[in-house]
Amino acid sequence: MIHPSAIVEAGAQLGANVSIGAFSIIGEQVEIGDNTVVGPHVVISGRTRIGCDNHIYQFSSLGGPPQDKKHAGEPTRLEIGDRNTIREFCTFNLGTALDAGVTRMGDDNWIMAYVHIAHDCQVGNRTVFANNAQLAGHVHIGDWVILGGFSGVHQFCRIGAHAMTAAGTVAVQDVPPFVMAAGNTASPFGINAEGLKRRGFSPEAMLALKRAYRTLYKSGLMLEEARAKLVEDAVAHPEIQPLIDFLAVSKRGIIR
């Protein structure tokens, strides 16, 4: 399962049925879970832990030092969950001591070619990052997020669960859950209705989310006034609670 030309350094821990392709390099502090496939010409280094049933395609670099001049070689980490697909030429960096010290990705994510995930990013589960999506440092991405090709997310921004960006979107502020965003810089364009329908949201839940979107973006209320109205509405429609929770932790403000 390990190609003769691959280099697996002493100390690396490989699970059962792990496959390492030609000319790939696995560093001494790397852990790879069962049934993971690492293609040819892949470099996995640093304190990197990868779960089970992942497929990492050729020419990706995972676990390299953060692209942060303040990093001084502290023992930070990269953690990747299970059943992720990571396509060609992706780069995921270690965390930094100025944050949680770990860059983290969850489970069942579909990561297309040339995606960059910078230091200290936190990526949830079941996301889709199209080709050339780029995350700066300290970005948080919720579950089920879809980033269109060539989307860029500014450092410290948050993208809420079930949000979606169009191709070429540049987010310099937070994108709330359920919202579709597009443009440079990003603007909101309603809720991700088609995605929510595919994920089993009921018509009643989608109607409540559409009303919440109108409260947030179309009512003319100030942000705190809109949030107070959403808190009232959540009593009868708990499906909008994630939107309220997101607004409570947003630091950069939301896209307008």
Side-chain angles (χ1 to χ4, degrees):
M1 304 292 282
I2 300 176
H3 194 278
S5 65
I7 297 174
V8 179
E9 296 182 2
Q13 300 180 39
L14 306 185
N17 300 315
V18 169
S19 176
I20 308 295
F23 302 105
S24 287
I25 301 174
I26 310 299
E28 62 181 353
Q29 296 175 305
V30 173
E31 301 176 31
I32 301 178
D34 298 348
N35 304 311
T36 288
V37 176
V38 178
H41 298 279
V42 172
V43 176
I44 306 178
S45 57
R47 292 171 173 84
T48 296
R49 185 174 69 205
I50 298 173
C52 301
D53 301 297
N54 296 283
H55 193 164
I56 302 164
Y57 283 73
Q58 56 265 29
F59 304 109
S60 288
S61 175
L62 309 179
Q67 297 178 110
D68 186 330
K69 291 183 177 180
K70 298 180 293 299
H71 182 67
E74 298 89 350
T76 56
R77 309 188 311 280
L78 169 66
E79 297 179 357
I80 297 172
D82 302 330
R83 298 177 302 279
N84 297 289
T85 296
I86 300 170
R87 294 301 302 255
E88 299 84 355
F89 295 98
C90 290
T91 53
F92 298 2
N93 292 160
L94 300 172
T96 69
L98 298 178
D99 201 318
V102 57
T103 304
R104 183 179 289 112
M105 171 176 286
D107 304 328
D108 301 295
N109 298 287
W110 183 262
I111 309 300
M112 299 186 196
Y114 291 95
V115 166
H116 177 62
I117 298 179
H119 58 86
D120 303 297
C121 288
Q122 308 293 313
V123 178
N125 306 307
R126 299 180 178 86
T127 67
V128 176
F129 291 8
N131 298 321
N132 282 284
Q134 308 285 299
L135 304 187
H138 314 280
V139 167
H140 286 228
I141 304 290
D143 296 344
W144 295 102
V145 165
I146 298 175
L147 298 182
F150 293 89
S151 289
V153 185
H154 191 278
Q155 60 186 355
F156 295 102
C157 282
R158 292 175 177 264
I159 311 291
H162 299 281
M164 179 177 181
T165 68
T169 299
V170 177
V172 299
Q173 291 182 293
D174 297 344
V175 180
F178 313 111
V179 169
M180 292 193 301
N184 182 4
T185 57
S187 297
F189 286 88
I191 69 165
N192 183 15
E194 188 60 33
L196 297 179
K197 186 189 305 181
R198 293 176 181 178
R199 292 163 205 153
F201 279 67
S202 69
E204 294 77 15
M206 291 176 60
L207 180 59
L209 291 169
K210 289 178 181 178
R211 288 172 174 165
Y213 177 88
R214 288 197 291 270
T215 296
L216 189 59
Y217 284 112
K218 302 294 185 181
S219 65
L221 297 173
M222 299 294 289
L223 181 58
E224 284 306 312
E225 296 172 331
R227 183 168 177 266
K229 177 66 166 61
L230 293 175
V231 170
E232 294 177 7
D233 294 344
V235 175
H237 302 286
E239 54 271 10
I240 70 175
Q241 187 63 44
L243 181 55
I244 298 167
D245 295 340
F246 183 91
L247 296 176
V249 298
S250 175
K251 296 293 194 297
R252 290 188 59 82
I254 63 172
I255 60 171
R256 305 298 292 181

